[in-house]
């Protein structure tokens, strides 16, 4: 989507706040012994309260209102009977629509005390997203996002999952430009234009390179080679004043 009117920006800000508030409330509610289905139910209730519609359920018939991925699951985890435990690494991804506008956000959370290396991975995962967002602006190359994230990852000794990309968003969950790499690529000549709405969502890992199906369903993705992975995601609009993050709680 390309924003052309102020009311479009306000519509995106509204749904951006809804998904951000939902994700943060779910993270605050996590506790050992809770099932991922119960955690998803909290998200569903919050979306319902705001009149928002789960985007993965409505768009793809996903069997949950949010995606909850635990430990070896790195994305698109299906809420179910799995019980959370102290020390788990939990990714919560919330995308939804309201009044015809879509927003998408996600983050990885450590439940309780985890190894220092996982704490560092979480901190650096958020930094990797911020490095990518800083490359969003009119006239800048889309590939600049991946180059900047890749340089950051290499300096810090990490790998990137190379088949889970960022994407355009706004009037649908996934729009053009599609497959925006958050890893270094060659040959992508596309440029960002003023008002473009997109996600920035690198998957930072300690050894993983690819996302593959796992978990016995058609949705859940695991890392190959097996390794810890974190993902942080905002929905962003490119403006001449700099990138504007739409998925902030408030």
């Amino acid at each position: 989507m390309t924003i052309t009117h102020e009311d479009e920006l306000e519509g995106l800000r509204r749904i951006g706040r809804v998904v951000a508030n939902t994700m943060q409330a779910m993270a605050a509610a996590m506790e050992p012994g809770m099932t991922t289905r119960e955690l998803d139910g909290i998200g569903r209730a919050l979306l319902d309260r705001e009149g928002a519609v789960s985007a993965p359920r409505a768009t793809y018939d996903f069997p949950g209102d949010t995606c909850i991925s635990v430990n070896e699951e790195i994305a698109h985890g299906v809420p179910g009977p799995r019980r959370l435990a102290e020390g788990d690494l939990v990714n919560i991804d919330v995308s939804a629509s309201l009044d015809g506008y879509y927003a998408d956000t996600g983050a990885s959370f450590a439940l309780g005390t985890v190894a220092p290396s996982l704490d560092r991975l979480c901190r650096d995962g958020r930094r990797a997203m911020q490095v990518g967002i800083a490359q969003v602006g009119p006239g800048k190359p889309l590939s600049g996002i991946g180059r900047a994230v890749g340089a950051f990852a290499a300096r810090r000794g990490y790998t990137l999952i190379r088949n889970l990309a960022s994407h355009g968003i706004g009037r649908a969950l996934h729009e053009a430009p599609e497959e925006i790499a958050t890893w270094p690529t060659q040959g992508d000549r596309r440029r960002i234009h003023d008002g473009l709405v997109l996600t920035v969502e690198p998957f930072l890992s300690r050894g993983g390179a690819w996302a593959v199906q796992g978990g016995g369903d058609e949705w859940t993705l695991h890392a190959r080679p097996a390794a810890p992975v974190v993902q942080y995601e905002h929905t962003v609009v490119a403006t001449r004043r700099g990138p504007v993050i739409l998925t902030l709680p408030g």
Side-chain angles (χ1 to χ4, degrees), residues 4 13 67 71 73 123 138 198 215 220 243:
T4 57
R13 286 189 190 276
C67 298
N71 293 337
E73 304 167 346
R123 289 195 304 270
L198 68 158
T220 307

Side-chain angles (χ1 to χ4, degrees), residues 97 114 123 224:
S97 64
V114 298
R123 289 195 304 270
R224 181 182 291 167

Side-chain angles (χ1 to χ4, degrees), residues 160-232:
L160 293 160
I161 300 297
R162 292 174 175 258
N163 58 335
L164 289 174
S166 299
H167 54 89
I169 189 172
R171 287 295 190 177
L173 177 57
H174 294 102
E175 296 181 346
E178 299 173 350
E179 296 293 321
I180 303 170
T182 51
W183 58 91
T185 57
Q186 301 292 331
D188 186 350
R189 301 182 182 280
R190 297 176 297 174
R191 291 193 171 269
I192 300 168
H193 55 263
D194 190 27
L196 179 66
V197 186
L198 68 158
T199 68
V200 177
E201 48 176 315
F203 286 76
L204 194 71
S205 180
R206 295 210 324 263
W210 305 100
V212 298
Q213 280 194 333
D217 60 58
E218 62 180 305
W219 302 100
T220 307
L221 298 175
H222 291 197
R224 181 182 291 167
V229 178
V230 294
Q231 176 248 22
Y232 292 86

Side-chain angles (χ1 to χ4, degrees), residues 81-103:
R82 181 169 186 165
R83 293 192 179 276
L84 300 178
E86 179 85 9
D88 278 347
L89 181 63
V90 183
N91 181 270
I92 301 173
D93 195 309
V94 182
S95 55
S97 64
L98 178 66
D99 298 329
Y101 296 101
Y102 287 73

